[in-house]
Amino acid sequence: MPGSANINTVDVIAVQKQFLTGTFLTGCKLAAADVNGDTVVNTQDVIAVQRFFNGFTNAIANVGKYKFTPASRTYMGVFTNQTGQNYDTIVFGDVAMPFSEIVDSP
């Protein structure tokens, strides 16, 4: 939810530093900073993360949304639970430690 504690001012500053220096974030953190998906981290990304942190629900691009890789898998003839099916995940806008994690519920 916008305004949640997991994406905060440290994330805003990290995305802004990436925009200003172009050399701060790499890998998944860099992908998470590009919240509008235009392949560059720019002012729009910084503003979107800042708006999310401030609790706004519009003009936040994909901040707070998850991206799974692969996006989906197809299983033929599945009759039991499929364990060990790992997916890589990023949370857009969450670029600074600690990263958001969904706690498994009982």
Side-chain angles (χ1 to χ4, degrees), residues 79-92:
F79 297 102
T80 61
N81 290 338
Q82 301 298 302
T83 60
Q85 302 299 302
N86 294 328
Y87 288 78
D88 292 327
T89 309
I90 62 170
V91 180
F92 288 104

Side-chain angles (χ1 to χ4, degrees), residues 30-78:
L30 182 58
D34 180 21
V35 300
N36 65 356
D38 65 356
T39 72
V40 295
V41 177
N42 55 28
T43 303
Q44 293 172 340
D45 300 301
V46 175
I47 291 170
V49 177
Q50 184 176 29
R51 289 180 61 80
F52 183 93
F53 168 67
N54 287 325
F56 290 97
T57 57
N58 63 336
I60 59 173
N62 292 312
V63 181
K65 294 181 182 177
Y66 288 72
K67 178 183 179 184
F68 295 94
T69 304
S72 66
R73 290 191 173 125
T74 303
Y75 301 96
M76 304 302 283
V78 175

